[in-house]
Amino acid sequence: MAERIRAFVCGHPVAHSRSPAIHGHWLQRHGIAGSYERIDVVPERISVFIAEMAAQGFAGGNFTIPHKEAAFAGVDRRDAAAEMIGAVNTVWLEEGRLVGANTDAPGFAANLDDHAPEWRQGRKAVVLGAGGAARAVLFALLDAGFTDVRVVNRSVARARELADRFGPRVSAHGQAAAGELLGDADLVVNTTSLGMDGNGELPADVTSIHGGAIVTDIVYVPLVTPLLAAATARGLKTVDGLGMLLHQAAPGFRRWFGIMPEVTPELRDLVIADMERHS
Ligand code: NDP
């Protein structure tokens, strides 16, 4: 009998992760007798977990908060996105060596490709927030050819760190500058946690955004964030953040199970139902 391939999502906590629903759907759809397990590892044990992963019989897996930096440090080799972002969320084995990637960046791009493919013609963007997820967004924007990316953050020092890291196409700003910066942006991306469940605050004033801009939020709980609701009410094109979550999962599945899975409306509905069951 063929060996059963095992993969995982590892975090602390990890109960909230929707990744098992995504990979479980793809395993079933492709008739693969593999598994995708949820594993909670405390930070003190994470380097041991990474070192022993292959011996434990895993083909690879995903790392989520707070382990993406430890995964970065623990792999033998990394893709270009992971190197630039400084975090690894997907690992697999190649000839006994552990390889790490950051699939949040291509996940972000693939979601926009699905729902607003014209985003690639844009050159000016405003990125609201300067946390871990903002790094993945910056990588994707620069990779897509954006030449003027303005990072707006409550703490300007954190935005400046990103501008220093990503180079001259990225600039750093405090929140007071947002209105002016939004006026000619082709794309506006919220990466702040504002707008998450029960938090009705807007990360920016949508009246400053020009009519032809695309507005996207990487927060996906709720699916329609206050920013997206306000942007839609103004007649702007919007893209929600769930597709980023779905797309970031696909490269890992291909590495572990050998098939590039599809992000379909059926998968999206299934994950929405899964989120509603656990909310
Ligand atoms: P971080 O904690 O690293 O960063 C949070 C950001 O939000 C910082 O820029 C922070 O500003 C800002 N922020 C928080 N509270 C406030 C506030 N009250 N006012 C203004 N700014 C605020 O988080 P991540 O970057 O890891 O994640 C951000 C969001 O993105 C989360 O909601 C997460 O769920 C979502 N996400 C979605 C993904 C997807 O697949 N769709 C993938 C990854 C993340 P400051 O620096 O000043 O504190």
Coordinates of all heavy atoms in Angstrom, one line a residue, residues 65 69 85 127-135 138 150-166 170-174 191-193:
I65 N 1.1 32.1 12.9 CA 1.5 32.9 14.1 C 1.6 32.1 15.3 O 0.7 31.2 15.6 CB 0.5 34.1 14.3 CG1 0.6 35.1 13.1 CG2 0.7 34.8 15.6 CD1 -0.6 36.1 13.1
E69 N 8.7 33.3 11.8 CA 10.1 33.7 11.9 C 11.0 32.5 12.3 O 12.1 32.3 11.8 CB 10.3 34.8 12.9 CG 9.9 36.2 12.3 CD 8.4 36.3 12.5 OE1 7.7 35.6 13.2 OE2 7.8 37.2 11.8
I85 N 10.8 38.9 2.9 CA 9.8 39.2 3.9 C 10.3 38.9 5.3 O 9.9 39.5 6.3 CB 8.5 38.4 3.5 CG1 7.9 38.9 2.2 CG2 7.5 38.4 4.7 CD1 6.9 38.0 1.6
V127 N -0.5 51.3 1.1 CA -0.6 50.2 2.0 C -0.8 50.7 3.4 O 0.0 51.4 4.0 CB 0.6 49.3 1.9 CG1 0.6 48.1 2.9 CG2 0.8 48.7 0.5
L128 N -2.0 50.4 4.0 CA -2.3 50.8 5.3 C -1.8 49.7 6.3 O -2.3 48.6 6.2 CB -3.8 51.0 5.5 CG -4.4 52.0 4.5 CD1 -5.9 51.9 4.4 CD2 -4.0 53.4 4.8
G129 N -0.9 50.0 7.2 CA -0.3 49.0 8.1 C 1.1 48.6 7.7 O 1.4 48.7 6.5
A130 N 1.8 48.3 8.7 CA 3.3 47.9 8.5 C 3.7 46.7 9.3 O 4.8 46.6 9.7 CB 4.1 49.1 8.8
G131 N 2.7 45.8 9.5 CA 3.0 44.6 10.3 C 3.6 43.5 9.4 O 4.1 43.7 8.3
G132 N 3.5 42.2 9.9 CA 4.1 41.1 9.1 C 3.4 40.9 7.8 O 4.0 40.7 6.7
A133 N 2.1 41.1 7.7 CA 1.3 40.8 6.5 C 1.6 41.9 5.4 O 1.6 41.6 4.2 CB -0.2 40.8 6.8
A134 N 1.9 43.1 5.9 CA 2.2 44.2 5.0 C 3.5 43.9 4.2 O 3.6 44.3 3.0 CB 2.5 45.5 5.8
R135 N 4.4 43.2 4.8 CA 5.6 42.8 4.1 C 5.3 41.9 2.8 O 5.9 42.1 1.8 CB 6.6 42.0 5.0 CG 7.1 42.9 6.1 CD 8.0 42.0 7.0 NE 8.6 42.9 8.0 CZ 9.9 42.7 8.4 NH1 10.6 41.7 8.0 NH2 10.4 43.5 9.3
L138 N 3.8 44.1 0.2 CA 4.8 45.0 -0.5 C 5.6 44.1 -1.5 O 5.9 44.6 -2.6 CB 5.8 45.6 0.5 CG 5.3 46.7 1.4 CD1 6.3 47.2 2.4 CD2 4.7 47.8 0.6
R150 N 3.2 53.6 -0.9 CA 3.2 54.5 0.3 C 2.7 53.7 1.4 O 1.5 53.3 1.5 CB 2.4 55.7 0.0 CG 2.8 56.5 -1.2 CD 1.6 57.0 -2.0 NE 2.0 57.7 -3.2 CZ 1.2 58.4 -4.0 NH1 -0.1 58.4 -3.7 NH2 1.6 59.0 -5.0
V151 N 3.6 53.4 2.4 CA 3.1 52.7 3.6 C 2.7 53.7 4.7 O 3.5 54.5 5.1 CB 4.3 51.8 4.1 CG1 3.8 51.0 5.4 CG2 4.7 50.8 3.1
V152 N 1.4 53.6 5.1 CA 0.9 54.5 6.1 C 0.7 53.7 7.4 O 0.0 52.7 7.4 CB -0.4 55.1 5.6 CG1 -1.1 55.9 6.7 CG2 -0.2 55.9 4.4
N153 N 1.3 54.1 8.5 CA 1.1 53.3 9.7 C 1.0 54.2 10.9 O 1.6 55.3 10.9 CB 2.3 52.4 9.9 CG 2.0 51.2 10.8 OD1 0.9 50.7 10.8 ND2 2.9 50.9 11.7
R154 N 0.3 53.7 11.9 CA 0.2 54.5 13.2 C 1.6 54.7 13.8 O 1.9 55.9 14.1 CB -0.7 53.6 14.2 CG -0.8 54.2 15.5 CD -1.7 53.3 16.4 NE -1.2 51.9 16.5 CZ -1.8 51.0 17.2 NH1 -2.9 51.2 17.8 NH2 -1.2 49.8 17.3
S155 N 2.4 53.7 13.8 CA 3.8 53.9 14.2 C 4.7 54.1 13.0 O 4.9 53.1 12.2 CB 4.2 52.7 15.1 OG 5.4 52.2 14.6
V156 N 5.1 55.3 12.7 CA 5.8 55.6 11.5 C 7.2 54.9 11.5 O 7.6 54.5 10.4 CB 6.1 57.1 11.4 CG1 6.6 57.5 9.9 CG2 4.9 58.0 11.7
A157 N 7.8 54.6 12.7 CA 9.0 54.0 12.7 C 8.9 52.6 12.1 O 9.8 52.1 11.3 CB 9.5 53.8 14.1
R158 N 7.8 51.9 12.3 CA 7.6 50.6 11.7 C 7.5 50.7 10.2 O 8.0 49.8 9.5 CB 6.4 50.0 12.3 CG 6.5 48.5 12.7 CD 5.4 48.0 13.4 NE 5.3 46.5 13.4 CZ 4.3 45.8 13.7 NH1 3.2 46.4 14.1 NH2 4.4 44.5 13.6
A159 N 6.8 51.7 9.7 CA 6.7 51.9 8.3 C 8.1 52.2 7.7 O 8.4 51.7 6.6 CB 5.7 53.1 8.0
R160 N 8.8 53.0 8.4 CA 10.2 53.3 7.9 C 11.1 52.1 7.8 O 11.8 51.9 6.8 CB 10.8 54.4 8.8 CG 11.7 55.3 8.1 CD 12.1 56.5 9.0 NE 11.1 57.5 9.1 CZ 10.6 58.1 10.2 NH1 11.1 57.7 11.4 NH2 9.7 59.0 10.2
E161 N 10.9 51.2 8.7 CA 11.7 49.9 8.7 C 11.4 49.2 7.3 O 12.3 48.7 6.7 CB 11.2 49.0 9.8 CG 12.1 48.8 10.9 CD 11.4 47.9 12.0 OE1 11.2 46.8 11.7 OE2 11.1 48.5 13.1
L162 N 10.1 49.2 7.0 CA 9.8 48.5 5.7 C 10.3 49.2 4.5 O 10.8 48.6 3.5 CB 8.2 48.4 5.6 CG 7.6 47.5 6.6 CD1 6.2 47.1 6.2 CD2 8.4 46.2 6.8
A163 N 10.2 50.6 4.5 CA 10.8 51.4 3.4 C 12.3 51.1 3.3 O 12.8 50.9 2.1 CB 10.5 52.8 3.6
D164 N 13.0 51.0 4.4 CA 14.4 50.7 4.3 C 14.7 49.3 3.8 O 15.6 49.1 3.0 CB 15.0 50.8 5.7 CG 15.1 52.3 6.3 OD1 14.9 53.2 5.4 OD2 15.2 52.5 7.5
R165 N 13.8 48.4 4.2 CA 14.0 47.0 3.8 C 13.7 46.8 2.3 O 14.4 46.1 1.6 CB 13.1 46.1 4.6 CG 13.3 44.7 4.5 CD 12.3 43.9 5.3 NE 12.6 42.5 5.3 CZ 13.3 41.8 6.1 NH1 13.8 42.4 7.2 NH2 13.5 40.5 6.0
F166 N 12.6 47.5 1.8 CA 12.2 47.2 0.4 C 12.7 48.2 -0.6 O 12.5 48.0 -1.8 CB 10.6 47.2 0.4 CG 10.1 45.9 0.9 CD1 9.8 45.7 2.3 CD2 9.8 44.8 0.1 CE1 9.3 44.5 2.8 CE2 9.3 43.6 0.6 CZ 9.1 43.5 1.9
V170 N 9.4 52.3 -2.1 CA 8.5 52.3 -0.9 C 8.8 53.5 0.0 O 10.0 53.7 0.3 CB 8.7 51.0 -0.2 CG1 7.8 51.0 1.1 CG2 8.4 49.8 -1.0
S171 N 7.8 54.2 0.4 CA 8.0 55.4 1.3 C 7.1 55.2 2.5 O 6.1 54.4 2.5 CB 7.6 56.7 0.6 OG 6.3 56.6 0.1
A172 N 7.5 55.8 3.6 CA 6.9 55.6 4.9 C 6.2 56.9 5.4 O 6.7 58.0 5.2 CB 8.0 55.3 6.0
H173 N 5.0 56.8 5.9 CA 4.2 57.9 6.3 C 3.4 57.6 7.6 O 3.0 56.5 7.8 CB 3.2 58.3 5.2 CG 3.9 58.4 3.9 ND1 4.4 59.6 3.4 CD2 4.1 57.4 2.9 CE1 4.9 59.4 2.2 NE2 4.8 58.1 1.9
G174 N 3.1 58.7 8.3 CA 2.2 58.6 9.4 C 0.7 58.7 9.0 O 0.5 59.1 7.8
T191 N -3.9 46.4 5.5 CA -3.2 45.3 6.2 C -3.2 45.5 7.7 O -2.6 44.7 8.4 CB -1.8 45.1 5.7 OG1 -0.9 46.1 6.3 CG2 -1.6 45.2 4.2
T192 N -3.9 46.6 8.2 CA -4.0 46.7 9.6 C -5.1 45.8 10.1 O -5.9 45.3 9.4 CB -4.4 48.2 10.1 OG1 -5.8 48.3 9.8 CG2 -3.6 49.2 9.3
S193 N -5.0 45.5 11.4 CA -6.0 44.6 12.0 C -7.3 45.4 12.3 O -8.3 44.8 12.7 CB -5.5 43.9 13.2 OG -4.7 44.8 14.0

